[in-house]
């Protein structure tokens, strides 16, 4: 339990707005739930979310200690109120989730709160399968990642051994990666394996296809099969024989 004594600078605020500032890791929906369950009290009695705080009021918060920590990347999962996970498969070691387009797999500089991995951590935290206080270094992790604007299955691991095994299977090409892509144009060949070398320009954050190997570019192999074409648009199944950033886009562009 933690207590807050309201000072002059905090007087006049609504309780829910004060909590959002004082306990930023506590989601608004969870704060409302705790108020309803009387786990957040004012002067020892029941409080309402729209209560106007007065100087000298004492708030008692009967919530887990981790919510009082400072927001960081490693505890951002606490801010995810209700994990929105489309779980395809789960056992004691792994979870396969269908990541929607528009959601980051991992945090970046602009967003480290609502991502695929923070949703997984929150889900496991609520199930009692993840307690950061009992771990020295491991946290639930994604074994693979897909771009923000791509939807598809990502593999989350619940323990270090599962992460090692799945990572090795990806590294040694024991898992096959297939994508569905809508492309502008109709490929001349119904099916083909495209080869080339991917060069990344870090300054412009762009990639380019090159036809000769250099010390700085990387080999890419992409197999595609046209499923159906309508007008100047085609639906293709793509198998990544190598996995590089923007590989599908650059290889499709290379054939027009």
């Amino acid at each position: 339990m933690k207590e807050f004594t309201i000072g002059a600078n905090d007087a006049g605020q609504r309780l829910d707005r004060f909590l959002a500032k004082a306990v930023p890791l506590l989601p608004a929906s969870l704060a409302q739930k705790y108020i309803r369950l009387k786990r957040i009290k004012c002067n020892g009695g029941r409080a309402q979310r729209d209560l106007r705080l007065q100087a000298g009021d004492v708030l008692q918060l009967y919530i887990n200690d981790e919510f009082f920590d400072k927001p960081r990347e490693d505890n951002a999962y606490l801010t995810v109120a209700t994990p929105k996970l489309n779980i395809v498969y789960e056992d004691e070691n792994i979870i396969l989730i269908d990541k929607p387009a528009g959601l980051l797999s991992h945090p970046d500089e602009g967003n480290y709160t609502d991502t695929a991995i923070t949703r997984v951590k929150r889900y496991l935290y609520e199930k009692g399968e993840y307690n950061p206080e009992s771990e020295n270094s491991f946290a639930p992790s994604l074994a693979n990642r897909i771009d923000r604007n791509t939807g598809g299955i990502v593999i989350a691991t619940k323990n270090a051994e599962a992460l090692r095994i799945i990572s090795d299977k990806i590294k040694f090409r024991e898992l096959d990666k297939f994508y569905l892509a809508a492309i502008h144009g109709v490929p001349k060949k119904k099916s083909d394996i495209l080869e080339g070398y991917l060069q990344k320009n870090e300054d412009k954050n762009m990639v380019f296809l090159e036809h000769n190997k250099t010390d700085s570019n990387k080999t890419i192999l992409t197999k595609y099969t046209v499923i159906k074409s309508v007008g100047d648009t085609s639906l293709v199944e793509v198998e990544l024989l190598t996995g590089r950033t923007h590989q599908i886009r650059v290889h499709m562009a290379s054939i027009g």
Side-chain angles (χ1 to χ4, degrees), residues 159-171 174-175:
N159 53 66
E161 180 67 4
L163 178 60
R164 183 191 65 77
I165 291 172
I166 298 298
S167 296
D168 281 348
K169 289 186 177 296
I170 293 173
K171 179 180 179 180
E174 293 182 47
L175 298 182

Side-chain angles (χ1 to χ4, degrees), residues 177-181 189-195 220-226 236-242 247-248 251-252 255:
K177 296 180 182 181
F178 292 88
Y179 290 76
L180 287 176
K189 296 181 180 180
K190 290 285 289 185
S191 183
D192 199 7
I193 295 179
L194 306 176
E195 302 181 42
I220 55 173
L221 295 170
T222 308
K223 180 180 179 180
Y224 76 86
T225 301
V226 178
V236 295
E237 178 187 79
V238 178
E239 180 180 2
L240 291 186
L241 304 180
T242 58
Q247 176 176 325
I248 296 174
H251 250 160
M252 290 295 104
I255 59 172

Side-chain angles (χ1 to χ4, degrees), residues 2 8 10 23 50 86 106 137 166 171 180 209 213-214 240:
K2 187 176 180 67
D10 294 320
V23 195
D50 58 355
N86 183 4
H106 291 98
S137 60
I166 298 298
K171 179 180 179 180
L180 287 176
L209 185 71
K213 186 74 180 77
T214 68
L240 291 186

Side-chain angles (χ1 to χ4, degrees), residues 4 6 10 13-22 53 59:
F4 289 98
I6 303 304
D10 294 320
Q13 290 189 72
R14 283 175 38 147
L15 173 59
D16 54 356
R17 292 175 183 168
F18 172 81
L19 290 173
K21 298 174 184 176
L53 299 174
L59 297 179

